[in-house]
């Protein structure tokens, strides 16, 4: 049976934006601070390097009862039985991914335009990424900021959960909360912070209080 993705703060790894800390160290700090959804994302490692990190993280996420999503690599996700996979617009088509991975895995799709959001929902995505809402340096392939207008469109028109992402910081978090997406993702605000545990707790509190 498909597990339900928790609401609230959605964390993603970004080793290149983690002040020299590796993904495993960052993930441990995140889990200790109470993160409930974690996506493994690394655009710079070999498949084997990613697999080795994911193997460790899978064990940790099981211990902490955390919903684990793997970006891009369906093979790694299936071999480690992660709860979810996350795909972009240039990855394997959603229908193919579903065929390979089966009905019980959560599939999230990054979207940047109303048409992409509508298609993802129609074709059986379990959630959509909505962004980048603001300017971000974490995403290499150039996707221009979509603004809160696109988040507003998705909240009003898309029934599956929306994960707001891209340039979300403490300075604009409450504005995002007002749109009431099911999940909010802050990458570098967390991974690059001096004290990851403190930052995660602060973000969780803000989201619990205002979202
Ligand atoms: N998808 C849309 S924006 C983004 C991804 C993976 C990166 C967001 O990173 P940050 O550091 O929260 O701006
Ligand atoms: Mg991808």
């Amino acid at each position: 049976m498909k597990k339900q993705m928790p609401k609230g703060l959605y964390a993603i790894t970004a080793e290149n934006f983690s002040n020299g800390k590796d993904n495993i160290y960052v993930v441990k700090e995140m889990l200790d601070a109470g993160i409930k959804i974690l996506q493994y994302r690394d655009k710079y490692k070999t498949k084997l390097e990613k697999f080795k990190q994911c193997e460790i993280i899978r064990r940790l996420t099981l211990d902490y009862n955390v919903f684990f999503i793997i970006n891009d690599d369906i093979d790694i996700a299936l071999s480690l039985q992660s709860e979810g996979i996350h795909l972009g617009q240039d990855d394997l088509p959603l229908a193919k991914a579903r065929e390979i991975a089966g009905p019980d895995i959560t599939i999230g799709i990054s979207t940047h335009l109303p048409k992409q959001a509508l298609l993802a929902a129609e074709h059986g995505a379990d959630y959509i990424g909505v962004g980048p809402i603001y300017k971000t340096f974490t995403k290499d392939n150039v996707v221009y900021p979509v603004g809160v207008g696109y988040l507003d469109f998705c909240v009003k028109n898309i029934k599956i959960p929306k994960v707001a992402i891209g340039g979300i910081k403490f300075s604009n978090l409450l504005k995002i909360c007002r749109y009431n997406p099911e999940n909010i993702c802050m990458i570098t605000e967390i991974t690059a912070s001096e004290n990851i545990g403190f930052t995660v707790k602060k973000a969780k509190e803000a989201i619990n209080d205002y979202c």
Side-chain angles (χ1 to χ4, degrees):
M1 247 207 8
K2 191 177 277 178
K3 277 196 208 154
Q4 204 177 348
M5 187 164 94
K7 290 189 182 179
L9 186 62
Y10 181 128
I12 303 186
T13 60
E15 203 164 84
N16 283 39
F17 298 88
S18 300
N19 285 328
K21 297 167 187 162
D22 78 358
N23 283 330
I24 305 300
Y25 180 93
V26 169
V27 164
K28 281 183 182 160
E29 300 265 294
M30 287 172 169
L31 299 187
D32 274 336
I35 276 292
K36 284 289 152 212
I37 312 166
L38 173 74
Q39 182 190 132
Y40 179 87
R41 180 176 186 270
D42 197 301
K43 302 290 181 184
Y44 306 100
K45 291 188 179 2
T46 64
K47 177 85 80 176
L48 182 61
E49 286 168 336
K50 289 189 279 185
F51 179 75
K52 285 182 174 166
Q53 285 199 328
C54 281
E55 225 181 354
I56 296 168
I57 296 171
R58 168 75 297 194
R59 250 179 275 133
L60 289 167
T61 51
L62 285 174
D63 286 351
Y64 282 77
N65 191 27
V66 165
F67 200 93
F68 184 37
I69 296 169
I70 294 176
N71 188 295
D72 289 341
D73 298 293
I74 299 190
D75 46 0
I76 299 180
L78 291 178
S79 70
L80 297 177
Q81 296 180 299
S82 66
E83 281 73 32
I85 50 183
H86 186 92
L87 300 173
Q89 291 295 320
D90 296 328
D91 291 319
L92 210 59
L94 174 54
K96 269 289 152 204
R98 179 65 73 201
E99 199 180 303
I100 294 169
D104 291 343
I105 196 159
T106 285
I107 303 183
I109 303 287
S110 293
T111 72
H112 323 292
L113 296 166
K115 194 176 163 197
Q116 294 170 349
L118 291 163
L119 275 176
E122 186 187 326
H123 291 151
D126 296 289
Y127 75 87
I128 53 166
V130 177
I133 295 182
Y134 301 111
K135 194 170 167 53
T136 178
F137 300 96
T138 320
K139 206 171 162 71
D140 276 353
N141 48 338
V142 183
V143 182
Y144 292 104
V146 292
V148 286
Y150 178 53
L151 177 59
D152 187 49
F153 169 87
C154 289
V155 167
K156 288 179 178 151
N157 295 282
I158 305 292
K159 290 204 177 70
I160 57 174
K162 280 72 61 187
V163 179
I165 185 167
I168 302 178
K169 314 276 175 201
F170 284 104
S171 55
N172 53 32
L173 179 59
L174 299 191
K175 182 165 184 190
I176 298 298
C177 282
R178 273 186 227 126
Y179 291 89
N180 209 20
E182 286 79 359
N183 297 92
I184 296 182
C185 176
M186 296 162 104
I187 302 188
T188 39
E189 192 76 326
I190 294 174
T191 60
S193 74
E194 280 294 310
N195 185 334
I196 292 172
F198 176 76
T199 306
V200 165
K201 284 181 188 153
K202 199 169 117 187
K204 275 174 67 91
E205 264 171 38
I207 291 172
N208 285 343
D209 288 352
Y210 298 106
C211 284

